[in-house]
């Protein structure tokens, strides 16, 4: 089975860039979202991003034109899933929502289609339970922003077939991304478990008054050579994304240490979710940190 068409479900901050990666890689690509406004925003954002790449000579005008010719947008999940050989789910980081989507994808997709999740923490075996094809379910975790970050964590469960893993790795290669295959599941995988440990310690030091969050970011950038500090990273990724990850981890472990931090819950209540809302740890309307 040759993969010719890829559907990406969810046109949010990850989904639209994953879709463009697939289109740039030569796949016929369908970006689906139930929200027409999200689709329009995704299309506009992608044109801006790709125009900048052309201006910087990172892409030719012809390459950009061809990529957009391979990319279509739809609000119909049945339509998108039915045409695809490979489906990448990129909806909100909530287990119940993802399981519902996977149940629908299993119903609508062709029997040969592989179902991948871009979840940053949820193991694919939890989602495979909602399908009749657990051997064709896999994690395909991209990093934000997907058009820039050259890494994908491909994670298999005990039921994921070798063929599914191989095909997923082939897709990563074709879209010019470095893929790392993990053959044993663990919540949060590798990168986010390491980042989570760093973030937990950073928040502990902040909440207990050892240092201001700006100073912690400065130390991580200057002393550890991190490109951005942990609080800046929370703002970039979206504070709500981290919140849902912690909620999911706590639901799995029952360990109070895994519950969302008090300061994160406060940000959620305030609606200060980071760069996408204009304010998180930093106030972006005041340009408190350099935006790149």
């Amino acid at each position: 089975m040759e993969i010719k068409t890829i559907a990406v479900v969810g046109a949010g901050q990850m989904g639209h860039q994953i879709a463009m990666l697939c289109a740039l890689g030569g796949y016929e690509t369908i970006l689906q979202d139930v929200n027409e406004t999200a689709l329009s925003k995704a299309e506009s954002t992608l044109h801006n991003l790709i125009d900048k790449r052309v201006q910087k000579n990172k892409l030719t005008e012809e390459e950009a034109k061809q990529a957009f010719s391979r990319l279509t947008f739809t609000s119909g999940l049945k339509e998108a899933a039915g045409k695809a050989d490979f489906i990448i789910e990129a909806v909100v980081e909530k287990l119940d929502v993802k399981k519902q989507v996977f149940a629908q994808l299993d119903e609508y997709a062709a029997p040969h289609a592989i179902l991948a999740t871009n979840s940053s923490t949820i193991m694919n075996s939890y989602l495979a339970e909602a399908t009749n094809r657990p051997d064709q379910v896999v994690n395909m975790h991209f990093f934000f922003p997907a058009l820039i970050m050259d890494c994908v964590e491909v994670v298999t469960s005990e039921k994921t077939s070798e063929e599914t893993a191989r095909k997923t790795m082939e897709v990563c290669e074709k879209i010019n991304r470095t893929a790392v295959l993990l053959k044993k599941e663990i919540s949060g995988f590798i990168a986010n478990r390491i980042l989570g440990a760093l973030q937990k310690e950073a928040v502990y030091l902040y909440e207990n008054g050892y240092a201001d969050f700006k100073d912690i970011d400065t130390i991580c950038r200057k002393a550890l050579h991190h490109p951005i500090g942990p609080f800046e990273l929370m703002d970039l990724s979206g504070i709500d994304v981290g919140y849902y990850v912690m909620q999911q981890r706590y639901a799995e472990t029952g360990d109070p240490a895994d519950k969302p931090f008090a300061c994160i819950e406060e940000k959620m209540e305030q609606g200060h979710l980071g760069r996408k809302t204009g304010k998180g740890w930093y106030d972006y309307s005041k340009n408190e940190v350099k935006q790149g």
Side-chain angles (χ1 to χ4, degrees), residues 26 41 86 124 169 176 250 260 269 290:
K41 182 180 178 181
F86 195 101
N124 76 77
M169 295 293 282
N176 197 31
Y250 176 59
E269 291 169 3
K290 183 180 179 182

Side-chain angles (χ1 to χ4, degrees), residues 33-262:
D33 200 294
V34 293
N35 188 325
E36 293 281 3
T37 302
L39 286 174
S40 297
K41 182 180 178 181
E43 186 170 9
S44 173
T45 300
L46 285 175
H47 275 287
N48 288 335
L49 288 172
I50 297 304
D51 284 349
K52 288 178 182 178
R53 290 198 163 200
V54 171
Q55 291 165 13
K56 294 178 180 178
N57 296 317
K58 293 182 178 180
L59 277 178
T60 66
E61 288 189 11
E62 183 60 25
E63 286 171 334
K65 180 181 177 182
Q66 288 298 319
F68 276 107
S69 74
R70 289 188 287 266
L71 180 60
T72 57
F73 301 81
T74 182
S75 60
L77 183 62
K78 187 174 184 178
E79 174 194 353
K83 294 178 179 178
D85 305 305
F86 195 101
I87 303 171
I88 304 171
E89 167 273 315
V91 303
V92 67
E93 193 73 359
K94 292 184 177 181
L95 179 59
D96 57 341
V97 176
K98 288 183 184 291
K99 288 186 78 168
Q100 183 179 3
V101 169
F102 266 71
Q104 291 177 297
L105 292 176
D106 186 49
E107 178 184 351
Y108 299 148
H112 70 268
I114 290 170
L115 309 183
T117 174
N118 178 54
S119 174
S120 59
T121 188
I122 298 170
M123 297 182 292
N124 76 77
S125 56
Y126 290 155
L127 305 177
E129 294 173 357
T131 77
N132 293 304
R133 60 180 90 191
D135 58 316
Q136 292 164 237
V137 178
V138 67
N139 282 93
M140 192 181 189
H141 177 217
F142 292 80
F143 293 85
F144 180 78
L147 280 167
I148 295 173
M149 298 295 284
D150 175 28
C151 189
V152 179
E153 290 176 321
V154 176
V155 190
T156 63
S157 72
E158 291 182 355
K159 294 183 178 179
T160 306
S161 71
E162 291 287 338
E163 175 73 359
T164 296
R166 184 177 66 80
K167 289 289 186 183
T168 305
M169 295 293 282
E170 286 177 359
V171 169
C172 292
E173 183 178 2
K174 191 169 180 182
I175 64 175
N176 197 31
R177 283 297 170 269
T178 299
V180 180
L181 179 61
L182 310 178
K183 294 189 175 182
K184 187 175 181 180
E185 285 187 306
I186 186 169
S187 177
F189 322 132
I190 303 302
N192 278 341
R193 289 186 72 88
I194 293 171
L195 277 177
L198 174 69
Q199 178 181 295
K200 183 177 287 188
E201 185 63 23
V203 171
Y204 171 84
L205 293 168
Y206 164 72
E207 287 190 336
N208 286 275
Y210 292 104
D212 184 70
F213 69 88
K214 294 179 184 178
D215 293 331
I216 295 171
D217 277 350
T218 297
I219 290 168
C220 287
R221 280 189 278 104
K222 300 294 185 180
L224 304 181
H225 284 197
H226 292 188
I228 59 177
F231 295 93
E232 291 171 299
L233 182 58
M234 283 186 246
D235 277 359
L236 178 64
S237 302
I239 287 171
D240 54 331
V241 174
Y243 175 78
Y244 294 136
V245 166
M246 285 182 276
Q247 274 195 324
Q248 176 61 30
R249 182 75 60 81
Y250 176 59
E252 291 175 17
T253 67
D255 185 348
D258 290 329
K259 291 180 72 173
F261 310 119

